Amino acid sequence: MAAILPGMEVCMDSTSRKLMKELEEMQQTGRMLRNMSLARMLSLETGNWQPPVDLYEGKSEFFVYFDLAGANRESLLVTANEHQVRVSGKKELTAQKAIAGIHQLEIEVGAFERTIPLPAAVQVDEVTSSYNNGILIITLPKKRKRGKVCITISTGEK
């Protein structure tokens, strides 16, 4: 069985294995539907294409994976607030002078922008990102919940 994320536990009970199998099937179906999505390829708001994204949740953080094969790291801009993360940039292919005709076009190029809403608030000042082999990984630590606060009740008199 293929691991969903690197470093996942290999030893799993039968319930965990069943859950992982169902998750893999959901990922496959999601990718198929996403690839058929015209809205992802051509956003009506910006006129830009939208890269495919996976969003994972860990115990204390969210991981957002952007598939940006061919994008130059220097063109990428990552911005985040407590409730969403946005990535924009530009992807260009090297022009071939010898091209006389086009028979198939599937690779999206040009400007792109994608905003992903997050399931819970995050610690914006602790967000990190890395770009390797065409995959941008953004790690967004979940906002820590504060403990109980004791509130003094005044008499209301001045």
Side-chain angles (χ1 to χ4, degrees):
M1 177 181 299
I4 300 297
L5 287 175
M8 290 188 72
E9 294 295 322
V10 175
C11 300
M12 293 186 271
D13 62 18
S14 62
T15 304
S16 296
R17 277 193 295 273
K18 182 178 178 186
L19 180 63
M20 291 302 292
K21 185 175 188 287
E22 289 177 9
L23 179 59
E24 286 175 353
E25 289 171 3
M26 286 173 50
Q27 282 182 324
Q28 223 172 9
T29 302
R31 283 189 174 92
M32 182 181 67
L33 292 172
R34 183 176 60 224
N35 287 335
M36 295 183 332
S37 169
L38 182 60
R40 182 185 69 79
M41 292 187 285
L42 181 62
S43 171
L44 297 176
E45 294 173 7
T46 65
N48 301 335
W49 65 279
Q50 295 183 339
V53 174
D54 288 345
L55 172 61
Y56 300 97
E57 182 172 356
K59 185 176 180 181
S60 60
E61 64 271 304
F62 295 105
F63 302 99
V64 185
Y65 285 61
F66 281 82
D67 183 353
L68 299 172
N72 186 333
R73 185 177 62 83
E74 286 77 31
S75 80
L76 303 178
L77 176 62
V78 178
T79 56
N81 64 34
E82 288 186 346
H83 304 287
Q84 66 184 19
V85 61
R86 172 180 289 165
V87 173
S88 61
K90 192 172 186 179
K91 182 168 93 171
E92 296 176 344
L93 297 178
T94 305
Q96 299 294 325
K97 294 177 184 178
I99 294 177
I102 298 171
H103 296 278
Q104 188 165 337
L105 289 172
E106 293 182 10
I107 299 173
E108 290 98 348
V109 293
F112 62 85
E113 182 177 300
R114 181 98 189 250
T115 301
I116 303 300
L118 301 169
V122 297
Q123 290 290 127
V124 176
D125 56 342
E126 296 177 19
V127 174
T128 61
S129 65
S130 64
Y131 184 60
N132 191 20
N133 294 328
I135 302 293
L136 173 66
I137 302 171
I138 304 169
T139 304
L140 303 115
K142 294 178 184 176
K143 193 164 194 170
R144 294 181 280 285
K145 297 192 192 275
R146 300 184 187 246
K148 291 181 182 179
V149 176
C150 228
I151 300 171
T152 305
I153 302 172
S154 66
T155 60
E157 298 175 10
K158 293 186 178 185

